[in-house]
């Protein structure tokens, strides 16, 4: 039986026009009624009715005037920033960073707190969300969604955390506890996946529908973007590249004992520091060691070559399966290595496999996980706030 097509009812058309106008106001800034009509293809009368409707719903507001010809100045309209807020949270092993943005995406407040002296994850998140909203001057009741970026596995079916190597206190049932405590929709998301969201929106992945992001920091992780959408896998484990079996290191056979998995032993921050020290670049952090190697010119080439060979094992393992056109190196090590490291990884992958992806360093300088959380929250909330029930 063929599907029945819904007719273009006036209510449906109004909802589509309203959404189009709101998106234009977000993208292009304050606009007049006439300009909205031109951009949407609506008549002046219909565009005026649309603006009045959005004003009544509290979604747009007058923000000024534009001088015209002989007649009165035209009113400028913009999305009302305070119509909704979101909070993004980046949860790490020893600290939590939270930021609050209004519906236009403007970040209004940011807070940071230690997690090393508490075993109460609900209390930690509660405090971070409340303080972030407070620092933004937003009422908690106006916060429509909280997205938390966390290391480990997030079950695609339940949305709960099923395993987090660096956060042993985070467990199944935590999502329900947070929702009950905050009385706000709360969503968990893998931190590296959120970094890929940010990369796709404003970084090296912008305009690229298929790419892989390799995160190299305290741990190693992978995010897979296919057709402009994140690939999570059946259990949320897609991208746990730290568990990739690679030659040269022991392969733990019982992950429940929290032993470091193979590729993580080879390429995470501790391993990077050890390799750097062997080549004469001893530094407090992996990022500082890599930057020193890059700055050393020819003297740093043996270190960077060895690091590239190690990273290429994980990149090659990913690319021979997915064959993406682009691989982004992110995290503290990927960012510190810059083009010097990315170019070496690209050459090494091409040398050991049949695929030849372009390998680049991240295009984002600050807090990609946090910004990915905010964008993810904003996409969902705009759908809710800008949407209209069609009956």
């Amino acid at each position: 039986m063929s599907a029945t097509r819904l007719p273009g009812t006036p209510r449906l058309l109004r909802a589509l026009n309203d959404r189009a106008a709101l998106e234009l106001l977000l993208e292009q800034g304050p606009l007049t009624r006439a300009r909205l009509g031109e951009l949407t293809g609506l008549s002046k009368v219909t565009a005026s009715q649309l603006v009045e409707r959005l004003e009544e719903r509290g979604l747009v507001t007058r923000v000024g005037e534009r001088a015209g010809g002989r007649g009165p100045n035209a009113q400028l309209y913009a999305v009302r920033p305070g119509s909704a807020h979101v909070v993004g949270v980046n949860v790490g092993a020893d600290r939590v960073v939270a930021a609050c943005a209004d519906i236009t995406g403007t970040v209004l407040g940011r807070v940071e707190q230690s997690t090393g002296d508490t075993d109460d994850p609900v209390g930690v998140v509660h405090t971070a969300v409340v303080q972030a909203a407070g620092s933004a001057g937003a009422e908690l009741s106006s916060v429509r969604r909280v997205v938390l970026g966390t290391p480990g596995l997030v079950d695609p079916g339940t949305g709960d955390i099923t395993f987090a190597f660096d956060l042993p206190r985070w467990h199944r049932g935590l999502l329900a506890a947070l929702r009950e405590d905050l009385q706000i929709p709360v969503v968990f998301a893998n931190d590296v996946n959120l970094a890929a969201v940010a990369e796709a929106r404003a970084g090296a992945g912008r305009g690229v529908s298929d790419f892989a992001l390799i995160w190299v920091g305290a741990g190693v992780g992978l995010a897979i973007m296919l057709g402009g959408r994140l690939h999570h896998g059946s259990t949320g484990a897609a991208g746990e590249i730290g568990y990739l079996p690679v030659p040269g290191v022991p392969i733990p056979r019982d992950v429940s004992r929290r032993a470091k998995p193979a590729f993580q032993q080879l390429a995470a921050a501790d391993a990077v520091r050890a390799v750097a020290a062997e080549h004469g670049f001893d530094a407090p952090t992996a990022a500082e060691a890599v930057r020193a190697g890059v700055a050393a010119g020819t003297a740093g080439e043996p270190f960077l070559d060895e690091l590239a060979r190690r990273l290429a094992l994980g990149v090659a393992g990913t690319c021979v399966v997915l064959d993406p056109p682009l691989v982004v190196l992110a995290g503290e090590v990927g960012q510190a290595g810059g083009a010097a490291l990315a170019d070496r990884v690209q050459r090494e992958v091409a040398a050991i496999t049949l695929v030849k992806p372009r390998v680049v360093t991240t295009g984002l300088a600050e807090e990609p996980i946090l910004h990915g959380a905010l964008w993810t929250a904003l996409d969902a909330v705009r759908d809710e706030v800008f949407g209209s029930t069609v009956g």
Side-chain angles (χ1 to χ4, degrees):
M1 183 182 293
S2 62
T4 302
R5 291 188 178 182
L6 292 174
T9 63
R11 187 172 182 180
L12 173 60
L13 295 175
R14 283 197 300 270
L16 294 173
N17 289 336
D18 289 358
R19 181 61 186 263
L22 288 164
E23 294 291 350
L24 284 167
L25 289 170
L26 285 172
E27 293 169 6
Q28 301 194 23
L31 297 171
T32 64
R33 296 187 186 204
R35 183 57 179 156
L36 269 175
E38 292 172 5
L39 293 171
T40 57
L42 300 173
S43 68
K44 291 182 179 179
V45 172
T46 303
S48 292
Q49 292 172 342
L50 178 153
V51 171
E52 290 173 4
R53 195 162 57 242
L54 295 178
E55 273 193 294
E56 290 174 0
R57 293 175 58 192
L59 297 180
V60 304
T61 185
R62 302 180 192 189
V63 294
E65 296 180 344
R66 175 171 293 165
R70 297 178 180 178
N73 292 344
Q75 296 287 332
L76 285 167
Y77 296 87
V79 173
R80 189 170 71 83
S83 56
H85 294 87
V86 299
V87 172
V89 185
N90 179 13
V91 181
D94 55 6
R95 68 173 187 146
V96 166
V97 181
C100 181
D102 62 32
I103 201 166
T104 71
T106 302
V107 177
L108 303 171
R110 179 188 180 280
V111 296
E112 184 175 334
Q113 67 182 83
S114 170
T115 60
D117 56 352
T118 180
D119 59 357
D120 177 19
V122 173
V124 167
V125 174
H126 178 99
T127 300
V129 171
V130 171
Q131 289 184 351
S135 68
E139 295 290 337
L140 195 60
S141 60
S142 74
V143 176
R144 299 285 294 262
R145 182 164 295 235
V146 177
V147 173
L148 293 102
T150 174
L153 274 60
V154 178
D155 188 316
T158 66
D160 224 331
I161 291 177
T162 57
F163 178 78
F165 188 93
D166 294 324
L167 298 170
R169 300 183 187 94
W170 292 62
H171 49 75
R172 287 185 184 272
L174 181 57
L175 182 62
L178 287 169
R179 288 174 174 173
E180 182 178 357
D181 174 78
L182 289 168
Q183 294 296 299
I184 299 170
V186 178
V187 176
F188 283 134
N190 175 267
D191 52 1
V192 179
N193 281 344
L194 291 179
V197 169
E199 205 73 53
R201 297 293 285 266
R206 190 170 187 178
V208 182
S209 59
D210 296 353
F211 69 90
L213 180 141
I214 307 287
W215 183 278
V216 189
V220 290
L222 167 71
I224 305 159
M225 194 73 74
L226 297 176
R229 298 172 64 89
L230 285 168
H231 177 69
H232 299 281
S234 61
T235 65
E240 291 297 323
I241 198 174
Y243 290 88
L244 185 71
V246 291
V249 292
I251 300 175
R253 303 189 66 83
D254 186 358
V255 297
S256 65
R257 296 190 178 187
R258 312 191 76 80
K260 283 189 177 181
F263 187 54
Q264 183 157 321
Q265 294 177 52
L266 195 70
D270 289 347
V272 173
R273 285 186 60 207
V275 174
E278 291 173 4
H279 288 83
F281 299 100
D282 202 356
T285 69
E288 290 175 83
V290 173
R291 280 193 289 269
V294 173
T298 55
E301 290 182 357
F303 162 46
L304 295 177
D305 289 343
E306 172 61 21
L307 179 55
R309 281 191 290 270
R310 293 181 175 217
L311 293 176
L313 293 175
V315 175
T318 299
C319 293
V320 293
V321 175
L322 300 174
D323 193 17
L326 177 71
V327 174
V328 180
L329 295 184
E332 61 172 297
V333 171
Q335 187 172 8
L341 180 59
D343 291 348
R344 283 173 165 81
V345 173
Q346 178 173 308
R347 290 195 297 269
E348 184 66 16
V349 171
I352 63 176
T353 71
L354 295 175
V355 296
K356 298 180 180 181
R358 185 166 61 97
V359 181
V360 301
T361 192
T362 175
L364 300 170
E366 296 182 356
E367 300 187 311
I369 296 169
L370 186 64
H371 286 96
L374 288 170
W375 269 314
T376 300
L378 282 167
D379 284 344
V381 169
R382 286 173 181 170
D383 281 342
E384 294 170 2
V385 174
F386 294 171
S388 184
T389 302
V390 180

